[in-house]
């Protein structure tokens, strides 16, 4: 068993998977080193962290890596699948469900996403398992290379989002059980495999992430309705929704170098906190449609599609505007309070700056998505 775990934790299985999918380091036997063999791409595969310290996955101070793509089907499939685990997907998909499909489903998905991602991010910085080595692995992403590897939070998020959506809708709407299960399985599998293809995780990282997420879903499922009821009705909900995530962010595990995990965690918890306050406010003061009744899967007609797209693009525009506005305002206030220039990246990475900067910005985004945007939809006649 120990030998098997050691193999799954190693870089060689990841490298072999990449080669099977047509991704080679330039110059490797079978990979070719001529333009005719495929377009060669350059990526900075390693680099120093804050203060000159190395990133977890970096065996040296920095290099430039070339790679050859021989199978563009797998290349674009897995690059797209990897994007399904990024912020841009969740900041669009979760609000889309809330605005167009079902409020109760969206509430549960956001809560599960917040819990799962917090546990995953903290686990990385407690376990401190490095990412696959390059070489032999080809790394296609740079930003997350500054983080540790175990567990894969892409795998955790994909498993949590897809299966929580499936579980919460299978008893409310009429669709084939097998179809829903297959869709959830395919979605999570593609995201998991994309983390191997991009060279960002070992096999054990991905399996561990998916299993942790599955266990958390099993534990949360029996109390989903109770949590939802408390969040909608408790008079302490707004205070706790802000105080608890902030406390967790300020007490995030400390590292010897800068890693984006704390900032990413603060972003997720901030968005969840703002959305939760919005859920509570809707239940207390807005029309009952926001809590009691489900919009349900709408009958797909031309008019329905136009309305759904209109709600989505109007909402997305407002979210992006809110995000940009709050980033500028909050950052300038913090620059004034802590007396540092706005371009000072190291200062912006300090705990007392990064946490309020990210938390206030994204809690505003979550609140806007659940309160301001639906009110605007109603004002524009889109509901």
């Amino acid at each position: 068993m120990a030998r098997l775990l050691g193999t799954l934790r190693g870089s060689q299985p990841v490298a072999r998977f990449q080669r099977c999918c047509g991704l080679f380091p330039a110059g490797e036997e079978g990979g070719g080193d001529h333009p005719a063999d495929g377009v060669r791409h350059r990526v900075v595969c390693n680099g120093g962290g804050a203060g000159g310290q190395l990133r977890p996955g970096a065996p040296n101070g920095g290099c430039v890596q070339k790679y050859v793509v021989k199978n563009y089907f797998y290349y674009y499939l897995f690059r797209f699948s990897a994007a399904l685990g990024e912020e841009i997907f969740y900041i669009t998909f979760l609000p889309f469900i809330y605005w167009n499909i079902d409020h109760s489903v969206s509430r549960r998905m956001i809560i599960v996403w917040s819990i799962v991602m917090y546990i995953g991010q903290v686990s990385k910085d407690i376990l401190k398992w490095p990412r696959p080595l390059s070489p032999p692995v080809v790394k296609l992403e740079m930003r997350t290379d500054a983080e540790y590897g175990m567990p894969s939070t892409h795998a955790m998020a994909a498993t949590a989002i897809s299966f929580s959506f499936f579980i919460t809708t299978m008893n409310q709407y009429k669709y084939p059980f097998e179809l829903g299960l297959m869709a959830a399985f395919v979605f999570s599998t593609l995201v998991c495999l994309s983390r191997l293809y991009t060279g960002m995780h070992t096999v054990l990282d991905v399996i561990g992430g998916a299993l942790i997420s599955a266990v958390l879903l099993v534990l949360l499922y029996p109390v989903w309705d109770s949590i939802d009821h408390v969040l909608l009705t408790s008079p302490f909900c707004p205070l706790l929704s802000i105080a608890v995530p902030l406390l967790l962010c300020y007490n995030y595990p400390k590292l010897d170098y800068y890693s984006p995990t704390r900032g990413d965690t603060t972003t997720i918890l901030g968005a969840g906190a703002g959305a939760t306050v919005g859920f509570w406010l809707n239940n207390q003061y807005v029309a009952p449609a926001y809590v009691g009744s489900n919009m349900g899967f709408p009958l797909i007609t031309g008019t329905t599609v136009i309305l759904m797209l209109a709600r989505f693009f109007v909402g997305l525009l407002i979210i992006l505007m809110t995000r940009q506005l709050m980033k500028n305002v909050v950052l300038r206030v913090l620059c004034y309070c802590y007396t540092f220039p706005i371009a000072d990246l190291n200062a912006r990475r300090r705990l007392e700056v990064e946490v309020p900067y990210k938390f206030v910005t994204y809690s505003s985004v979550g609140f806007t998505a659940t309160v301001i945007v639906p009110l605007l939809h109603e004002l524009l006649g889109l509901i």
Side-chain angles (χ1 to χ4, degrees):
M1 178 61 71
R3 187 174 182 179
L4 175 61
L5 291 177
T7 300
L8 295 178
R9 190 179 170 184
S11 300
Q12 287 299 333
V14 180
R16 286 195 292 268
F17 177 76
Q18 290 181 323
R19 309 305 184 266
C20 290
C21 294
L23 183 65
F24 299 86
E28 180 178 290
E29 183 178 0
D33 195 23
H34 302 287
D37 293 321
V39 178
R40 289 179 291 173
H41 301 258
R42 288 177 179 269
V43 293
V44 181
C45 60
N46 300 307
Q53 286 137 333
L54 297 181
R55 296 172 178 176
N60 54 55
C63 68
V64 175
Q65 184 180 26
K66 297 179 181 179
Y67 61 90
V68 177
V69 178
K70 285 198 153 189
N71 189 317
Y72 278 95
F73 172 76
Y74 287 128
Y75 178 79
Y76 289 114
L77 172 66
F78 289 128
R79 294 307 297 266
F80 174 76
S81 300
L84 297 179
E86 300 288 348
E87 173 195 349
I88 188 63
F89 173 74
Y90 297 113
I91 205 173
T92 53
F93 176 73
L94 294 175
F96 180 86
I97 299 298
Y98 188 78
W99 298 330
N100 290 302
I101 306 297
D102 190 307
H103 296 125
S104 64
V105 171
S106 179
R107 289 196 302 267
R108 286 161 173 77
M109 291 174 70
I110 290 173
I111 298 305
V112 169
W113 174 62
S114 301
I115 294 173
V116 165
M117 289 299 290
Y118 175 77
I119 292 175
Q121 295 283 70
V122 169
S123 297
K124 282 185 180 184
D125 290 336
I126 292 176
L127 294 174
K128 298 183 179 180
W129 286 16
R131 291 181 182 269
L133 296 177
S134 176
V137 171
V138 177
K139 293 193 175 182
L140 303 185
E141 297 179 7
M142 286 301 98
R143 181 181 179 276
T144 53
D145 196 33
E147 303 174 4
Y148 288 105
M150 177 66 175
S152 167
T153 47
H154 275 70
M156 292 184 69
T159 302
I161 289 293
S162 58
F163 281 94
S164 62
F165 182 80
F166 168 62
I167 293 170
T168 53
T169 58
M170 67 179 181
N171 293 325
Q172 298 186 44
Y173 306 109
K174 293 181 179 179
Y175 62 84
F177 175 85
E178 296 79 7
L179 179 63
L181 181 61
M182 180 64 69
F185 178 78
V186 169
F187 179 91
S188 57
T189 299
L190 282 176
V191 174
C192 289
L193 291 178
S194 75
R195 305 316 289 161
L196 301 179
Y197 183 86
T198 55
M200 301 314 298
H201 286 286
T202 66
V203 176
L204 191 59
D205 294 344
V206 171
I207 293 175
L211 288 178
I212 292 171
S213 198
V215 170
L216 290 173
L217 282 175
V218 170
L219 295 176
L220 289 171
Y221 177 69
V223 295
W224 276 1
D225 291 338
S226 300
I227 293 175
D228 192 47
H229 177 75
V230 170
L231 292 179
L232 291 176
T233 59
S234 172
F236 302 106
C237 173
L239 176 61
L240 293 177
S241 297
I242 299 297
V244 173
L246 265 179
L247 183 64
L248 294 175
C249 293
Y250 274 109
N251 290 276
Y252 192 84
K254 292 180 174 60
L255 297 175
D256 296 330
Y257 63 95
Y258 178 77
S259 168
T261 49
R262 185 183 64 204
D264 292 343
T265 304
T266 305
T267 295
I268 293 165
L269 293 184
T276 302
V277 173
F279 298 151
W280 180 86
L281 194 63
N282 286 332
N283 185 59
Q284 301 298 317
Y285 302 107
V286 185
Y290 285 98
V291 288
S293 60
N294 294 325
M295 299 165 71
F297 289 122
L299 178 65
I300 303 300
T301 63
T303 302
T304 302
V305 171
I306 292 174
L307 283 174
M308 291 173 69
L309 291 176
R311 285 194 290 264
F312 174 69
F313 285 113
V314 168
L316 183 60
L317 177 62
I318 299 302
I319 282 179
L320 294 176
M321 291 173 60
T322 301
R323 177 174 173 266
Q324 191 60 43
L325 174 64
M326 295 306 299
K327 285 179 70 173
N328 291 333
V329 171
V330 175
L331 185 57
R332 291 184 184 280
V333 170
L334 291 170
C335 288
Y336 175 79
C337 292
Y338 293 102
T339 61
F340 65 89
I342 196 168
D344 189 343
L345 183 59
N346 287 330
R348 290 164 60 173
R349 289 173 169 176
R350 285 155 38 191
L351 173 69
E352 65 271 21
V353 175
E354 184 177 56
V355 169
Y357 172 50
K358 298 275 189 179
F359 192 87
V360 174
T361 297
Y362 285 93
S363 61
S364 301
V365 169
F367 183 83
T368 298
T370 53
V371 177
I372 306 301
V373 170
L375 291 176
L376 182 59
H377 286 164
E378 186 174 2
L379 182 64
L380 296 176
L382 297 177
I383 294 180

